[in-house]
Amino acid sequence: MSFTFRLMLRDLRSGDLLTLLLALVISVSTVTSIGLFIDRLQLSFEQESANLLAADRLVRSDDELPDEWKVKAEALSLRYAERISFTTMMFADNSLQLSQLSAVTEGYPLKGAYLVDDTLFGTGQSSTEAPQPGEIWVSSRLASLLNVQIGNQVDVGDATFTVTKYLVRDPGSSTSAFAISPRAVMNMADLAATNVIIPGSRVRYSLLLAGERAALSEYEDWITPQLNEGQRWQTPTQRGERIGDTIGRAESFLLLAGTLAVIMSGVAMALASARFVKRHLMQVAILKTLGATPKLLGKVFFQQLFTLFLAGALIGLGIGWAIQELIASILSGLMSTALPEPSVSRLWLGVATGAISMLVFCLPLMSHLIKISPLSVLQPNAKVELNTVFIYVIGFMGMYGLMCVYTNGFLLPSIMTAAISAIALFVAGIGWMAFKLGRSLTSGATSGWQIGLASLYRRLVPNLFQLLVFTLIIMLTLILIGVKSNLIADWQQQLPEDAPNHYLFNVQAEQIESINDATDALNVPRSDWYPMVRGRVIEANGESVEALYPEERGEPELYERELNLTWSDSIGKGNELVAGDFSANGLSVEQKAAQEAKLSLGDELTINIGGNIITLPITSIRTVDWGSMQPNFYLMLPKSALEDYPANFVSSLFIDETAAQPFYKAMSQFPTVSILNVGDILKQIQSIIGQLSKAIQLVLFCILSAGALVLLASVRSTLEERLEEGALLRVLGAKSALVRQALLVEFGALGFFAGIIAALGAEACLFGLQVFVFNSQASVHPLLWVLGPVIGVCVISTIGIFASRTVLKVPPMLLLRGL
Amino acid sequence: MASNTAIKVSNLTHTVTSNTGDLTILKGINMEIKESESVAIVGSSGSGKSTLLGLLAGLDVNTSGEVFLYDQAFSGQSEERRALIRGEYVGFVFQSFHLLPSLQAIENVMLPAELKGDKEARKKAEVLLEKVGLSHRLTHYPNQLSGGEQQRVAIARAFASNPKILFADEPTGNLDEENGKLIIKLLFELNQSQGTTLVMVTHDNELAKMCDRQLVMSAGQLTEKSL
């Protein structure tokens, strides 16, 4: 065995290298486990969301799909299917009905499954196959409207089809959730025979894709530049859609958590390296007096670090993998679907964290270590000047770079760096004052209390540093707790258990009473009825919309299309007035729509309703909770402006499983009423949110465990001085109880200060997050102010006493000799 | 330089820079120490004894003048080269022992031979520890040994590389009388049996008197004390 490894094994035995190895293992395993776990969750979210899209990716077009799109998909070994959706009239014996028909190719859906049933208004079994040629599946409502049953025939254009199933859910239907005609699905092979699609028909063509992520993103890069107006690339987690936002926020949270893991790993490595170097300074000087050349020492340390890195990375990867497997297995019972296997390619992140931590924290310190003058053995003051600024600048740059790689951007790392720097300055200022105060209160130290408090000032710099580390970790904990409860509360609020899951459209005024009776008889909760009149905004403040947006690009939603207009005496559930007077004789505009169109109170809009033009001022602005599943409107008009127009009414209902069948049967008396079932989509969204909440709690737990280990490393870094002082006190006759009390007071006070400052910092950060990120009301979190100091005092005292237990147990003589 | 000269110093000057300006600690020192000779460097605290010892052993770089160990010039050499010369010619015994705390007694003694790649390091270390009377303490760590025992391990380590010159800095400074005597006895025995040149910095007059020559350091100047 070479000298390097013999020396290394001896060092390992002494525990110094072990501390470094431990920090490296923590580093690699935390980042690996969180990275892998986040990857699996992302894959899982994508899969779940892919079920809503019926594919991994989708390209939508208003024109026929170019063949080269399919050729490219084949070239990239992607599976694909096509769907053509259009509205058409369907005929059966004596009835006819406008319906939403989809023609699909073999293999559709690529993801998820159809729900079909042989019984009218049944709840359905899944089917991953599309209808065969000659077959058609119709929704129960369409079947009732056409008065057909399974086995009957229906006509679409020139072709005739046999009804073979009742369609309960079309997996891709959520993308057009507001298409309100009853649905049917047929095989693409039959489409040509129908002759219903003629040039100029309103048809939506979709190319659905599924396959490897890399191939999908290559396809995206290829197709995006070719897309023109009326063509869109869709991913399962499209921003702006509710499910996309939910997952987006969860991803941000997990990314934040992962970045914190990176920072904590860095701190752990920095602390362990500093301790290693401190303890080896004299050893290197001695080795030099014995004839070890700087070159040899350089080689020895480099080999040691490299071996350590290999060992740490391997053990860390193993532990990281095991931890994420453990989390996944705990979660498996809670999740609706099995988590996909993690991508092995994500392992590089943990290895890179370990490598960069070693490079930026260990290597510069080690190279200084090698430069120590051998004269130190004769003159202890002749130690090498450590250029700590240089080392920490390198360390900081390394960590910053790592965070950038990790988050794939600069924003989050920059914000976090700025925040941590500000906190460091603040902590240094407050800590210095508090420690000084502690000392002035305790002159003539005799009790454990006084010795403990006085120690804070005596070891000012290390204690300030520890205070910063403690504060940061407690603060991060509190922020994560705050964000977690905010996120989860936000989601739960978004989707209450009894959120409406059905909409009723096209209801005539005279039908309302009978429908009310029917739903009341079934005990089905229902929202208010809102009249709907179609209208289009044509002018804003006297200027025509066409003049404002000549190229029809970037039009605000308010001007883009025909809107459903309504009136109401009260502002309605899920709406909140933010400006103006709702009862005034003018327009009430939804806040985001108003902001997008740059409208404010007093601006005038001209609206074309069935050829009649009316101009009204904006008299109120509302916020709307779009997640409430209540009927919601961008524009509300005064009753006087709309009451003379013929209106359809809309309402939303919550129908549970037991009420479903009788409800559908009751509604078959009202064949003209459109029913939109969004319950299945909601269920899927709720299951995703359920998974997210569980996952976030587990990730939080992981981060906190890593935080506790960093705290331990930080306490160990100043252990020697504490040991020396404790031993001296005991030599001078102090009882163990006094030493223990002094240590408890010192750690307790550090924890208390850290907890208070952390609560303050967390409160400030949460304020920012609530206002700017989650767009929710800012609130004070009294719990944090209790949790902060309590966590601080309890955790830090426990860790401190645990780490310093040798002070109390080992005979003082042994301690002094060992120093 | 004659072949039996172990150390030759000519016009050695050493100046350090402090907050209050430059301070000349050694002012043009000239001396010669012969092979196998034992020399004590005495003088009051702060007179520059340890600085001289550091420069003689190449632990530091002098401002001007020359230091030769067996014809090898130290002055102007790189740290790398000085370390090689130290490894070949020099052994050390320190006032505060300076054993590596993470290594057992035997491992501490093995170090110099291991650094030279000597495969017999362990066997030699066992012999040396037996000579200093610590064969029963081979696997003890420094903090499990008394001060006297630690210094005996340090002496064994110093002789492990068969040094031609042994530098000792206050070797008995941290020891009680009884242990001090034992250490001195060991040092001189090994000095004589191995023909090692011994250069020792000490406050202890009794110890100084046991040496062949005494050099007195005073205000940066070195003078020979007549015996």
Side-chain angles (χ1 to χ4, degrees):
Chain A
M1 203 191 317
S2 77
F3 177 60
T4 304
F5 292 105
R6 277 200 303 270
L7 207 61
M8 193 164 132
L9 284 181
R10 293 168 193 169
D11 254 344
L12 265 177
R13 211 172 43 200
S14 77
D16 285 340
L17 268 178
L18 214 56
T19 310
L20 205 58
L21 183 68
L22 191 68
L24 188 66
V25 169
I26 292 172
S27 225
V28 178
S29 59
T30 316
V31 175
T32 303
S33 59
I34 291 180
L36 287 177
F37 183 58
I38 289 176
D39 183 54
R40 293 180 81 171
L41 277 179
Q42 273 172 339
L43 286 174
S44 156
F45 300 154
E46 267 186 33
Q47 279 184 9
E48 291 251 339
S49 326
N51 293 344
L52 291 178
L53 194 67
D56 286 332
R57 302 287 186 274
L58 184 151
V59 210
R60 214 179 71 183
S61 172
D62 291 343
D63 307 310
E64 222 169 309
L65 302 170
D67 279 340
E68 64 206 62
W69 289 11
K70 292 169 229 170
V71 173
K72 181 70 179 177
E74 264 170 32
L76 289 170
S77 306
L78 291 170
R79 290 189 297 127
Y80 70 90
E82 289 176 72
R83 182 179 65 211
I84 299 180
S85 305
F86 51 96
T87 307
T88 188
M89 204 56 93
M90 283 177 66
F91 303 87
D93 285 344
N94 299 320
S95 37
L96 72 165
Q97 174 64 42
L98 191 68
S99 45
Q100 179 74 32
L101 184 59
S102 296
V104 297
T105 54
E106 289 297 321
Y108 181 95
L110 298 177
K111 291 288 162 87
Y114 281 110
L115 271 185
V116 290
D117 213 304
D118 295 328
T119 319
L120 200 64
F121 297 111
T123 46
Q125 288 96 41
S126 67
S127 160
T128 51
E129 282 181 15
Q132 295 301 307
E135 294 182 0
I136 194 162
W137 296 349
V138 297
S139 67
S140 295
R141 205 157 61 81
L142 183 57
S144 331
L145 291 167
L146 289 171
N147 204 14
V148 293
Q149 295 176 351
I150 286 185
N152 292 158
Q153 298 204 314
V154 294
D155 292 340
V156 178
D158 298 340
T160 303
F161 298 89
T162 308
V163 175
T164 51
K165 295 274 181 206
Y166 296 117
L167 177 66
V168 179
R169 188 184 72 199
D170 175 348
S173 64
S174 69
T175 49
S176 52
F178 290 87
I180 55 178
S181 306
R183 295 178 159 275
V185 58
M186 58 182 269
N187 195 293
M188 185 75 85
D190 296 331
L191 187 63
T194 63
N195 287 321
V196 287
I197 296 182
I198 49 166
S201 299
R202 281 187 59 121
V203 178
R204 178 171 286 178
Y205 296 85
S206 305
L207 178 67
L208 295 96
L209 301 160
E212 294 295 323
R213 272 205 280 189
L216 288 167
S217 68
E218 193 180 333
Y219 193 87
E220 181 179 2
D221 293 343
W222 175 79
I223 204 166
T224 311
Q226 306 178 37
L227 297 179
N228 49 37
E229 249 179 90
Q231 296 180 331
R232 233 177 101 193
W233 174 258
Q234 275 189 298
T235 61
T237 54
Q238 205 83 28
R239 303 277 152 177
E241 286 170 19
R242 185 173 44 247
I243 187 68
D245 281 353
T246 304
I247 290 172
R249 280 187 201 174
E251 278 179 1
S252 306
F253 175 88
L254 293 174
L255 207 58
L256 185 76
T259 316
L260 296 184
V262 171
I263 296 179
M264 284 202 264
S265 309
V267 174
M269 280 303 288
L271 288 170
S273 310
R275 179 179 152 90
F276 182 84
V277 167
K278 200 170 145 195
R279 286 176 63 100
H280 280 72
L281 279 174
M282 194 48 80
Q283 296 199 19
V284 171
I286 295 168
L287 282 169
K288 282 189 168 184
T289 63
L290 298 178
T293 63
K295 207 164 141 191
L296 175 77
L297 288 169
K299 195 177 120 196
V300 165
F301 280 113
F302 181 78
Q303 285 177 342
Q304 283 195 355
L305 286 186
F306 188 71
T307 314
L308 204 65
F309 168 70
L310 284 183
L314 276 177
I315 300 172
L317 285 178
I319 294 179
W321 187 280
I323 290 176
Q324 62 85 26
E325 278 290 335
L326 186 72
I327 297 177
S329 75
I330 294 171
L331 269 184
S332 66
L334 306 166
M335 286 200 159
S336 56
T337 50
L339 274 177
E341 280 306 304
S343 350
V344 179
S345 60
R346 299 282 290 192
L347 288 177
W348 71 269
L349 198 65
V351 180
T353 307
I356 293 183
S357 305
M358 284 210 102
L359 277 177
V360 299
F361 291 115
C362 277
L363 219 54
L365 280 169
M366 293 295 177
S367 67
H368 274 78
L369 183 61
I370 292 162
K371 285 186 197 144
I372 189 180
S373 163
L375 195 63
S376 310
V377 292
L378 295 177
Q379 297 169 5
N381 296 332
K383 280 175 187 166
V384 70
E385 284 282 312
L386 274 182
N387 191 347
T388 41
V389 175
F390 171 75
I391 289 169
Y392 284 112
V393 164
I394 290 197
F396 162 75
M397 279 166 44
M399 290 327 286
Y400 181 78
L402 204 56
M403 284 195 284
C404 291
V405 171
Y406 191 75
T407 59
N408 204 7
F410 297 99
L411 187 68
L412 194 60
S414 306
I415 293 177
M416 289 180 81
T417 309
I420 290 174
S421 313
I423 292 162
L425 281 176
F426 185 71
V427 165
I430 294 274
W432 181 77
M433 283 192 292
F435 294 170
K436 203 168 177 185
L437 183 74
R439 191 172 89 139
S440 65
L441 291 176
T442 54
S443 53
T446 50
S447 74
W449 271 95
Q450 290 166 322
I451 295 170
L453 284 178
S455 309
L456 288 175
Y457 190 76
R458 212 170 35 248
R459 281 192 285 272
L460 185 65
V461 175
N463 273 336
L464 281 181
F465 180 71
Q466 273 192 350
L467 185 66
L468 177 65
V469 173
F470 294 162
T471 303
L472 283 178
I473 289 172
I474 298 173
M475 195 178 94
L476 297 176
T477 312
L478 295 180
I479 291 175
L480 287 179
I481 292 174
V483 167
K484 190 205 82 176
S485 33
N486 256 314
L487 268 181
I488 293 173
D490 194 38
W491 291 334
Q492 281 165 350
Q493 201 180 359
Q494 221 177 21
L495 292 167
E497 276 290 298
D498 57 351
N501 52 10
H502 284 69
Y503 287 98
L504 297 184
F505 290 96
N506 290 338
V507 178
Q508 303 302 311
E510 60 273 13
Q511 293 176 317
I512 291 180
E513 209 179 314
S514 327
I515 294 177
N516 282 354
D517 290 345
T519 52
D520 288 349
L522 292 169
N523 267 337
V524 169
R526 186 190 62 240
S527 77
D528 293 335
W529 290 98
Y530 288 88
M532 285 201 307
V533 176
R534 305 282 285 176
R536 192 176 190 118
V537 178
I538 52 168
E539 283 178 15
N541 290 323
E543 202 165 344
S544 79
V545 168
E546 281 120 32
L548 282 170
Y549 299 93
E551 285 175 25
E552 291 185 10
R553 287 227 172 128
E555 270 188 2
E557 196 133 12
L558 211 50
Y559 305 153
E560 196 182 38
R561 56 185 169 88
E562 208 169 41
L563 299 174
N564 285 314
L565 310 172
T566 194
W567 79 83
S568 170
D569 297 329
S570 62
I571 190 166
K573 208 173 162 187
N575 287 252
E576 205 170 310
L577 187 71
V578 287
D581 176 9
F582 183 76
S583 58
N585 195 32
L587 298 169
S588 178
V589 188
E590 192 269 333
Q591 188 180 33
K592 281 197 177 146
Q595 281 166 353
E596 193 190 17
K598 300 188 182 68
L599 294 170
S600 51
L601 286 181
D603 286 334
E604 284 188 339
L605 293 180
T606 304
I607 305 166
N608 179 341
I609 305 170
N612 294 319
I613 312 292
I614 54 167
T615 301
L616 284 165
I618 296 172
T619 49
S620 71
I621 305 232
R622 292 165 290 127
T623 56
V624 169
D625 179 5
W626 295 105
S628 68
M629 309 304 280
Q630 302 286 332
N632 286 314
F633 299 88
Y634 281 126
L635 268 184
M636 289 175 89
L637 278 70
K639 185 177 178 183
S640 58
L642 286 182
E643 65 183 344
D644 294 337
Y645 294 94
N648 291 317
F649 285 77
V650 61
S651 175
S652 59
L653 315 99
F654 172 71
I655 296 163
D656 61 24
E657 292 203 350
T658 54
Q661 214 153 346
F663 168 78
Y664 285 122
K665 278 201 175 128
M667 289 310 291
S668 59
Q669 306 165 45
F670 309 100
T672 55
V673 171
S674 302
I675 306 169
L676 176 66
N677 178 357
V678 291
D680 293 319
I681 305 169
L682 276 184
K683 249 188 230 161
Q684 268 175 300
I685 293 175
Q686 261 161 341
S687 109
I688 293 175
I689 286 172
Q691 288 181 16
L692 283 179
S693 309
K694 298 271 165 18
I696 277 174
Q697 291 181 29
L698 277 166
V699 169
L700 184 66
F701 177 76
C702 268
I703 297 275
L704 295 188
S705 314
L709 287 169
V710 174
L711 286 184
L712 192 65
S714 153
V715 169
R716 276 181 70 97
S717 68
T718 54
L719 197 58
E720 258 145 53
E721 265 186 84
R722 290 182 214 277
L723 286 175
E724 187 176 28
E725 192 173 291
L728 277 175
L729 279 172
R730 285 176 62 200
V731 169
L732 296 175
K735 287 181 182 161
S736 287
L738 180 85
V739 178
R740 188 183 287 118
Q741 194 189 10
L743 278 171
L744 256 178
V745 169
E746 190 180 348
F747 283 118
L750 268 176
F752 181 77
F753 287 134
I756 292 279
I757 304 173
L760 185 71
E763 192 74 83
C765 289
L766 284 174
F767 176 84
L769 285 173
Q770 280 180 325
V771 173
F772 301 112
V773 181
F774 299 127
N775 293 321
S776 53
Q777 287 262 296
S779 55
V780 181
H781 304 78
L783 182 68
L784 300 188
W785 293 91
V786 180
L787 272 183
V790 169
I791 292 178
V793 172
C794 296
V795 174
I796 292 170
S797 306
T798 311
I799 291 178
I801 292 293
F802 172 75
S804 317
R805 66 196 184 287
T806 33
V807 174
L808 308 166
K809 277 194 184 157
V810 180
M813 193 55 210
L814 262 186
L815 282 172
L816 288 176
R817 249 191 223 163
L819 290 164
Chain B
M1 192 159 62
S3 61
N4 65 345
T5 303
I7 303 172
K8 184 178 174 177
V9 174
S10 64
N11 214 14
L12 184 70
T13 303
H14 194 57
T15 305
V16 292
T17 309
S18 70
N19 294 336
T20 50
D22 285 354
L23 182 69
T24 303
I25 300 174
L26 302 179
K27 299 170 183 166
I29 298 211
N30 290 292
M31 67 162 184
E32 220 177 286
I33 296 172
K34 298 224 167 358
E35 210 172 22
S36 307
E37 219 178 359
S38 57
V39 176
I41 300 173
V42 294
S44 55
S45 291
S47 59
K49 306 186 296 287
S50 293
T51 306
L52 178 62
L53 191 78
L55 290 173
L56 292 182
L59 300 181
D60 202 1
V61 184
N62 53 303
T63 315
S64 65
E66 296 282 355
V67 178
F68 295 94
L69 294 195
Y70 286 93
D71 293 343
Q72 308 266 352
F74 258 165
S75 336
Q77 298 289 345
S78 67
E79 166 64 25
E80 191 77 18
R81 177 82 193 125
R82 281 185 282 131
L84 283 174
I85 298 173
R86 270 199 304 274
E88 196 180 340
Y89 293 106
V90 173
F92 277 102
V93 175
F94 305 104
Q95 178 176 6
S96 44
F97 325 137
H98 284 323
L99 299 177
L100 299 194
S102 56
L103 305 192
Q104 297 167 353
I106 179 116
E107 290 164 348
N108 264 291
V109 180
M110 284 159 70
L111 266 182
E114 282 183 319
L115 281 169
K116 286 182 176 172
D118 188 340
K119 298 246 184 292
E120 302 288 299
R122 190 171 189 95
K123 209 176 270 175
K124 286 182 181 168
E126 279 172 2
V127 172
L128 280 163
L129 278 170
E130 199 180 342
K131 272 191 189 165
V132 298
L134 287 176
S135 51
H136 59 300
R137 298 284 213 186
L138 298 186
T139 55
H140 284 60
Y141 286 95
N143 68 355
Q144 296 168 321
L145 300 172
S146 72
E149 286 170 330
Q150 287 188 52
Q151 194 62 306
R152 276 145 69 190
V153 175
I155 290 173
R157 182 178 68 184
F159 282 98
S161 58
N162 293 320
K164 291 192 158 52
I165 307 166
L166 183 72
F167 291 105
D169 180 36
E170 302 278 12
T172 58
N174 273 345
L175 299 175
D176 58 39
E177 203 182 329
E178 193 182 332
N179 269 308
K181 278 184 181 158
L182 185 62
I183 292 300
I184 291 162
K185 186 168 162 262
L186 270 172
L187 269 180
F188 280 98
E189 267 175 22
L190 284 163
N191 162 238
Q192 269 145 35
S193 67
Q194 302 204 3
T196 312
T197 311
L198 180 64
V199 181
M200 193 184 327
V201 162
T202 183
H203 271 112
D204 185 341
N205 281 332
E206 292 301 311
L207 178 53
K209 277 181 200 161
M210 294 170 71
C211 294
D212 301 334
R213 286 162 65 199
Q214 287 186 52
L215 300 172
V216 183
M217 201 63 208
S218 174
Q221 307 273 4
L222 195 67
T223 49
E224 184 99 24
K225 188 174 180 180
S226 51
L227 294 170

